[in-house]
Amino acid sequence: INAEYGEALSLAMADDETEDETSRRARQDRVVFEERKKRYLAESFKDVGLPIRKRLEREFRIFTYFLVVLLAYILVMFFSPDGLVLVEGAHFMLEDQTLPESVYGMDLKFKDVMNTDEIIRYLESTLIDAIYSELNPGYMLNQNVVLGGARIRQLRTAKVNDCSQDIGNILHSQLITVPCFPPWAEDTQDTANFGSSSQYSWTSAEANGAVAFGSEHSTQSSFTLSYYPGSGYVVLLGTTRADMFSKLRELNSTGFYDKFTQNVFIEFATYNPSINLHLSLQLMFERQSSGTFINQGHYRSFKLWPFALNSTKTMVILAFEVILVIMISGFVIMEGVDMFTTANMAQVLDDVPTKEHVPVDYWKRPFYYLIKLYYIWEFIHLANITTMVLLVYFRVQWAISSAVADYDLETARTTWQNHYPFGSQGQFMHSLSALNVWLSIIKLLKYLQLSRRLNILALTVARARPFLAGFSFMFVLVFFGFALMGFVVFGPRFHAYSSLFQAIRTVFGFMFGIFDFRALQAQNPFLAPVFFYGFLIIVVFVMINIFIAIVNNSFKDVSNSIRRDDMKDGQKSMVTVLFGNPKKYCRSCRTESKEPIELSVVEANPAKPPLPGLEAVPSTGSNTLAPTESSQLHQKTD
């Protein structure tokens, strides 16, 4: 210990003559601990090496220009709220209107419809009034043209006369045979003709227009998370108010709805010529195992022809997309070149000095390139490039698709066409764009390694990693226990706890003040307080504060380490990395003065004695530095 920490010990133990041996050793242990901690911090948070720094600086310059163009493109493309206004208007007309009392004796809305009788009354009142109003038939909200009317589609389960169910236990077994109605699935669906005269026939998803852009576009339920295909029994409802009302009455009288009806879809689309925007609308009535329906609406706006030659905005968007495609192509080429020109990718990412690299054969370099997937920042980098390439692919696919090329608006006004695939594909591309922007922003953290002050987030997490590993295991264990308790106790009563995933999401909202304790207490007065207050005390009050303490302690260690070494590291600022040294743009800053510097010496004030340990600086009689000393002083000052 004396050999390794002798200097620190000699300074700290200079006044230990009056201490006993126990106190002396305790203080010595504290000094050694602090010295080891300082060395650990200096080693853990040291700056990146020169090879990695040069690589990061080159990538950072290129990526910054790309990010500026990408953000400008996103702001211009998604700036308009037209799509939001369109969706909110359709939602108001279809889901917020109550059924008239003359039709049904209660104030029911779309979400309140629970059986086939209420579905029929909803279609004959709210839906007809929204699509074919008496004042302006064929227009929704007076501005949106209804394209080809609406259609109704049904998914059914096969007829099962009886089900044999063993309802006994180990001690007593009892077999009961009763009629049953299995939930919809691929193996239980019905494809046979049905109706009063078997007039309703099943058609495939491709025949129903649900196959486009190389795949089938199914519908996912947000309640059960089930996927439903585009096939089923389809009936067109006509293009006038009278035709639609007559067709709905005919469906009711010919047995279109019965106990084997599992899902009912109402599908139509509108077009707003003022803003060149289509809107795909789908209302889904999904039967649950209890026999009631849960309802939801899917509204998706899209531009079938995104680039209009007479619009300045769309031309700007097109220019941005061309620039982005060129940049993305450059990224792909750079990665391909990096795959074969980097002699040893493993040693480069491990920050080994260039002169110590051991080159590998060219045929092995692509395999060494895959080592990037092991490093988190390189993995995010590759994921970002992959997302960009996929986004370009789907944009090109949309432009050259036959579904878009063969679309005729005049024909769509009089003939029903399935617009759901367009809305589904448009939503998918918007989601991909959002993921691309998020990855691009997150990837900026990779380049913050060039500045330790800006990289303090990653350094703090790295410093807290040993403590966070054990804490995370403990937190997940306790959190999962409460979620499982909520699922078992309240799952049979509340939809928010109906599945383990829903219970985890609901319990997670407790930490942000999202809860309904009165409903829980009404369901189970004994366990509700234990569940709710136990979660607040253990998770919110204790474990969250432990997490904050761990992060705070790590942040303190990192900030102290950065503060000690900040000025002596000679690090470049992010502006210098992007644009180089600002002095190169200033002619006067580049010229160094060759004149000797006159230094004035301040004599000690004889009236005031100097402080202990300090003496007045004696005058040597010469206050002029030589040119060599002057240049050295300039360098130190810089």
Side-chain angles (χ1 to χ4, degrees), residues 83-184:
L84 173 63
V85 174
L86 206 61
V87 170
E88 287 184 343
H91 185 278
F92 172 76
M93 294 295 297
L94 295 172
E95 298 192 26
D96 293 341
Q97 303 297 318
T98 59
L99 276 68
E101 293 184 2
S102 59
V103 176
Y104 202 78
M106 299 176 60
D107 291 337
L108 296 181
K109 295 184 180 180
F110 172 75
K111 297 291 185 181
D112 303 321
V113 173
M114 300 184 65
N115 54 55
T116 54
D117 291 336
E118 294 173 358
I119 291 177
I120 294 171
R121 286 160 176 77
Y122 171 82
L123 299 180
E124 293 178 353
S125 58
T126 304
L127 182 64
I128 288 183
D129 291 339
I131 300 179
Y132 301 108
S133 64
E134 296 180 355
L135 297 178
N136 197 358
Y139 286 83
M140 179 177 287
L141 296 174
N142 300 323
Q143 299 290 332
N144 306 290
V145 183
V146 178
L147 300 177
R151 81 170 183 183
I152 186 171
R153 179 167 60 91
Q154 178 186 160
L155 294 177
R156 299 170 55 84
T157 55
K159 296 181 179 180
V160 179
N161 294 325
D162 55 74
C163 294
S164 297
Q165 182 67 33
D166 189 356
I167 62 174
N169 51 39
I170 298 177
L171 301 178
H172 176 71
S173 179
Q174 181 179 0
L175 189 65
I176 185 172
T177 301
V178 295
C180 62
F181 309 95
W184 187 93

Side-chain angles (χ1 to χ4, degrees), residues 18 37 64 127 159 170 206 229 250 268 278 286 301 348 387 486 529 532 576:
T18 60
K37 182 178 178 181
T64 301
L127 182 64
K159 296 181 179 180
I170 298 177
E206 185 175 2
E250 178 184 342
F268 63 100
H278 285 76
E286 180 184 12
S301 61
V348 169
T387 307
F532 180 72
T576 304

Side-chain angles (χ1 to χ4, degrees), residues 144-278:
N144 306 290
V145 183
V146 178
L147 300 177
R151 81 170 183 183
I152 186 171
R153 179 167 60 91
Q154 178 186 160
L155 294 177
R156 299 170 55 84
T157 55
K159 296 181 179 180
V160 179
N161 294 325
D162 55 74
C163 294
S164 297
Q165 182 67 33
D166 189 356
I167 62 174
N169 51 39
I170 298 177
L171 301 178
H172 176 71
S173 179
Q174 181 179 0
L175 189 65
I176 185 172
T177 301
V178 295
C180 62
F181 309 95
W184 187 93
E186 291 287 346
D187 55 344
T188 62
Q189 67 172 333
D190 186 14
T191 58
N193 295 349
F194 77 100
S196 57
S197 56
S198 300
Q199 67 270 40
Y200 302 119
S201 58
W202 181 89
T203 51
S204 64
E206 185 175 2
N208 292 337
V211 177
F213 305 103
S215 62
E216 178 183 346
H217 294 264
S218 56
T219 302
Q220 184 183 18
S221 169
S222 59
F223 296 104
T224 61
L225 303 181
S226 302
Y227 284 91
Y228 298 103
S231 58
Y233 299 87
V234 175
V235 176
L236 299 180
L237 299 179
T239 56
T240 64
R241 182 183 179 92
D243 291 343
M244 185 173 182
F245 190 81
S246 173
K247 183 61 69 172
L248 290 174
R249 288 295 178 91
E250 178 184 342
L251 294 176
N252 189 25
S253 60
T254 55
F256 186 77
Y257 314 99
D258 58 17
K259 59 186 179 181
F260 298 102
T261 299
Q262 289 296 317
N263 295 75
V264 177
F265 301 88
I266 307 299
E267 300 166 325
F268 63 100
T270 64
Y271 174 69
N272 191 313
S274 302
I275 55 179
N276 186 28
L277 206 60
H278 285 76

Side-chain angles (χ1 to χ4, degrees), residues 460-508:
T460 301
V461 174
R463 175 71 178 92
R465 184 169 50 192
F467 302 97
L468 288 178
F471 173 81
S472 299
F473 175 77
M474 178 177 60
F475 180 83
V476 170
L477 196 65
V478 175
F479 187 88
F480 182 78
F482 278 102
L484 193 61
M485 179 181 179
F487 168 65
V488 173
V489 176
F490 305 107
R493 177 60 181 83
F494 299 107
H495 182 267
Y497 301 90
S498 59
S499 65
L500 186 58
F501 174 77
Q502 293 282 358
I504 291 175
R505 186 170 63 177
T506 303
V507 172
F508 187 77

Side-chain angles (χ1 to χ4, degrees), residues 515-533:
F515 55 84
D516 187 358
F517 176 69
R518 291 185 178 180
L520 300 180
Q521 193 174 27
Q523 172 64 19
N524 196 318
F526 175 72
L527 287 181
V530 176
F531 169 69
F532 180 72
Y533 292 114

